[in-house]
Amino acid sequence: MDCNQILLLGLGIEAPWKLVEQRLDMDKQPHELHLEVKAERGAKYPCPVCGQACSAHDVQEKT
């Protein structure tokens, strides 16, 4: 298991999501950890209500 997999496991992020970039900004106080998480186009996601695999209909960048 690599460090990216361990980080995703600790954050509770699972497939189809993947950690594609990580960066620690130590110039800021407190330090900032920047993570970029993506999924392949056309990936299916479990519905939070029924659990059925569904396509995404929008995306949003969050900070």
Side-chain angles (χ1 to χ4, degrees):
M1 185 176 289
D2 69 15
C3 62
N4 284 352
Q5 291 173 318
I6 293 170
L7 185 56
L8 290 177
L9 182 64
L11 294 171
I13 298 172
E14 29 187 64
W17 298 104
K18 295 178 188 175
L19 181 61
V20 295
E21 185 178 338
Q22 58 181 331
R23 179 174 50 88
L24 180 61
D25 188 348
M26 295 182 63
D27 293 332
K28 295 189 177 179
Q29 289 296 328
H31 301 324
E32 291 182 0
L33 177 61
H34 299 263
L35 304 174
E36 185 175 351
V37 180
K38 288 187 175 181
E40 295 293 324
R41 186 170 184 86
K44 301 286 185 175
Y45 306 88
C47 171
V49 176
C50 69
Q52 181 178 352
C54 303
S55 299
H57 58 85
D58 61 0
V59 292
Q60 185 177 42
E61 187 172 323
K62 295 186 179 187
T63 302

